[in-house]
Amino acid sequence: MLPAGSAHVFRAPESPAELSEFFAPQRTSATALPAPEPFLRNITRGVLEVLAGVREVDQLARWLTEDPYRKLVTRSNLAARARSARGVPARRPVHVILSVHESAPADGVIESVVIVQGPARTRAVALRLEGMDGRWRATSLALL
């Protein structure tokens, strides 16, 4: 509550640039975010399930920015077509996360590699996380 006689005046953005910046995702410091490792493990499992065809990519949309989301949609569609062409049904993948390696090149930014062992081979998932609007979001994603 403001003291009597004082008033807080909200100044609305005036220019289109100010307006877009006002409504754009706001960066969040690492101190205001949860530990990144559980998020890295969960997003990796989710990505592998999307590619296996047992999870909808829309379930991960909240945790991905536009670029990795679009790439995951494209890759999941290609995987679905390949399964269809071979007549293979979608099956829940059995993967073991062997390790999570992470570094913080800047405040609110995590670059990581998650090593995942599947039945046929061991793979790496490279992710870049950035703190936005009080939560981690993946801004880059690559399944190697």
Side-chain angles (χ1 to χ4, degrees):
M1 181 166 223
L2 296 172
S6 69
H8 178 71
V9 178
F10 173 76
R11 189 182 70 78
E14 296 174 8
S15 71
E18 278 184 319
L19 191 62
S20 66
E21 186 176 318
F22 182 76
F23 286 105
Q26 302 298 310
R27 297 196 74 47
T28 304
S29 172
T31 58
L33 295 165
E37 186 170 339
F39 177 78
L40 289 166
R41 289 176 176 275
N42 289 333
I43 195 78
T44 298
R45 281 189 197 99
V47 166
L48 294 171
E49 289 173 355
V50 164
L51 296 176
V54 296
R55 178 185 293 270
E56 292 295 322
V57 71
D58 293 342
Q59 294 177 354
L60 302 181
R62 177 174 190 221
W63 307 109
L64 302 169
T65 57
E66 188 175 344
D67 185 50
Y69 176 79
R70 285 184 179 179
K71 288 179 181 175
L72 187 58
V73 166
T74 300
R75 193 152 176 187
S76 68
N77 287 339
L78 291 172
R81 276 194 246 160
R83 277 192 309 278
S84 177
R86 292 189 319 248
V88 176
R91 290 199 176 114
R92 183 158 306 279
V94 179
H95 291 96
V96 176
I97 294 178
L98 298 177
S99 62
V100 178
H101 305 275
E102 59 186 72
S103 67
D107 183 37
V109 176
I110 298 290
E111 292 180 345
S112 68
V113 175
V114 180
I115 308 299
V116 183
Q117 183 178 23
R121 61 184 169 167
T122 299
R123 304 183 86 166
V125 180
L127 296 130
R128 178 182 171 99
L129 306 182
E130 294 184 21
M132 292 182 200
D133 297 332
R135 61 191 160 120
W136 289 115
R137 291 187 73 194
T139 58
S140 179
L141 170 70
L143 179 63
L144 309 172

